[in-house]
Amino acid sequence: MAARLSGHFHLEYSVPVAAHYRRIWRAPTFTSLSHGLRSLRLNLAAEDKGLLYRTIFLSDIHLGTRGCRADLLLDFLRDHDAGTIYLVGDIFDGWALSRRGWHWPQTHNDVVQALLNKAHNGTRIIYIPGNHDEVMRNYLGTHFGGIEVMKTADFIGLNGKRYLVTHGDQFDAVVMNARWLAHLGDRAYDFMIWMNPKINRIRSLIGRRYWSLSKWAKQQVKTAVNFIGQYEDVLADEAHRDGYDGVICGHIHHANICTIKGITYINTGDWVESCTAIVEHPTGEIALIDWEEKIAAAPRPQPRRKKSKTLAKAGS
């Protein structure tokens, strides 16, 4: 049986198989144990397949924009799996889609399908909407293809620490109090994203690696640097007030793991400028992966040299 979502995504699934598993896991005997057994099953499956992580956190993918690095994200999703994946907001960009119409190449469809396939195969996926995909906040508590939509989430790491998981836009004064300014800034950001491929086309001709104009601009502008620092402090204060040991967020496209006033602050980064993810290893260690940097550092296969053929001289 085939199901079509929003006219853009196509998902095929087996109704008898899905119904069979729903009957098993919703049976009264298993209801109270289903979540724990499911997590154990996923972790054992990960060990059997040699998969790397207990949990993966991704945010700020911005599907539907030209700046989205969907090709690199697809590479990451092919090579990485986990028992639970958190999508921490701005997974698609409703602002861009409503303003300029759809920019939705096949790779963006492939990202959605890859996530749906992971959910179908048993990975628990939790979707926490952000400001660019805020329309999904109208569907809190709903499941889409096995993906749960939540306003925020509590994450308890293997290290025993309790983390608040939130996109973080509600702690951005500009987004909350001056939306027109946020949209204006979004347009300026889009212009830099539009310039990126043109600049990088020239860089590739002279053998240079990918470089982000928008990321460079943020690092140069003192106001942006100060905003990032203030944002991190506000999130850490909020986590402390609510009794958390840490906070995991996105929104500002600035990946980071640090300690602020005794609170562990973790930002997942983005898949526009830096292509980063936060992962929890089976040991409980939480780490930042810079996928673009990892790809750039990987040794490139050397082209095969053709064997020279020597012709024997006549009579030798």
Side-chain angles (χ1 to χ4, degrees):
M1 181 177 180
R4 187 170 296 276
L5 307 177
S6 305
H8 294 280
F9 317 133
H10 190 262
L11 170 66
E12 292 187 356
Y13 57 92
S14 168
V15 171
V17 171
H20 169 71
Y21 282 107
R22 279 199 297 270
R23 281 196 300 272
I24 292 174
W25 289 104
R26 289 181 182 174
T29 309
F30 291 102
T31 301
S32 60
L33 297 174
S34 62
H35 180 69
L37 290 173
R38 186 168 180 255
S39 297
L40 177 60
R41 178 170 55 86
L42 291 170
N43 288 334
L44 290 173
E47 288 178 11
D48 290 341
K49 296 177 184 177
L51 303 178
L52 299 177
Y53 306 113
R54 183 173 180 261
T55 317
I56 295 174
F57 300 85
L58 302 166
S59 80
D60 297 273
I61 298 170
H62 290 275
L63 293 169
T65 67
R66 296 183 187 278
C68 172
R69 311 285 296 284
D71 53 342
L72 284 180
L73 179 56
L74 282 169
D75 288 339
F76 179 86
L77 291 173
R78 285 189 202 105
D79 291 348
H80 300 78
D81 214 336
T84 305
I85 296 176
Y86 287 84
L87 303 175
V88 193
D90 287 1
I91 304 307
F92 67 90
D93 197 317
W95 292 10
L97 297 175
S98 63
R99 188 165 63 233
R100 291 180 295 276
W102 286 82
H103 172 73
W104 200 275
Q106 184 58 42
T107 52
H108 292 209
N109 247 9
D110 293 342
V111 168
V112 174
Q113 190 65 56
L115 291 169
L116 289 172
N117 285 344
K118 286 182 183 295
H120 183 67
N121 290 331
T123 299
R124 186 186 185 198
I125 301 184
I126 298 170
Y127 182 4
I128 298 166
N131 51 308
H132 282 261
D133 51 7
E134 61 190 348
V135 65
M136 296 303 296
R137 288 173 175 161
N138 296 324
Y139 302 98
L140 299 178
T142 306
H143 288 233
F144 290 95
I147 299 175
E148 308 168 50
V149 184
M150 299 182 179
K151 185 177 181 180
T152 61
D154 278 15
F155 167 66
I156 299 176
L158 199 61
N159 57 14
K161 291 185 176 181
R162 180 168 162 259
Y163 299 85
L164 168 66
V165 186
T166 177
H167 180 65
D169 58 293
Q170 65 270 43
F171 303 102
D172 181 345
V174 173
V175 170
M176 296 305 293
N177 302 315
R179 288 182 67 85
W180 65 272
L181 185 57
H183 280 271
L184 182 63
D186 189 54
R187 286 176 183 253
Y189 182 79
D190 283 349
F191 172 75
M192 288 188 281
I193 294 299
W194 177 77
M195 286 294 295
N196 270 343
K198 295 167 176 56
I199 294 170
N200 282 288
R201 200 170 295 123
I202 297 170
R203 288 175 64 85
S204 67
L205 293 175
I206 58 175
R208 299 291 184 87
R209 61 173 288 188
Y210 183 89
W211 176 79
S212 172
L213 171 63
S214 53
K215 187 176 181 180
W216 174 85
K218 280 200 303 190
Q219 290 169 345
Q220 304 308 310
V221 179
K222 186 177 179 181
T223 304
V225 174
N226 289 341
F227 166 76
I228 290 170
Q230 291 167 3
Y231 175 84
E232 292 174 344
D233 288 343
V234 168
L235 266 291
D237 288 343
E238 178 67 17
H240 176 72
R241 270 195 302 272
D242 290 344
Y244 290 95
D245 300 299
V247 59
I248 302 172
C249 60
H251 185 56
I252 59 173
H253 296 204
H254 185 75
N256 194 14
I257 299 178
C258 64
T259 301
I260 302 173
K261 303 173 187 175
I263 296 294
T264 303
Y265 170 87
I266 301 172
N267 194 300
T268 55
D270 65 280
W271 288 84
V272 177
E273 299 173 32
S274 52
C275 302
T276 52
I278 296 295
V279 297
E280 182 192 27
H281 290 270
T283 59
E285 178 194 359
I286 295 178
L288 170 66
I289 291 181
D290 186 328
W291 186 241
E292 184 183 30
E293 190 174 276
K294 201 169 182 180
I295 291 292
R300 296 181 182 180
Q302 296 296 321
R304 279 178 150 185
R305 292 183 179 179
K306 292 182 180 180
K307 293 182 180 179
S308 58
K309 295 180 180 180
T310 56
L311 297 175
K313 292 181 179 180
S316 60

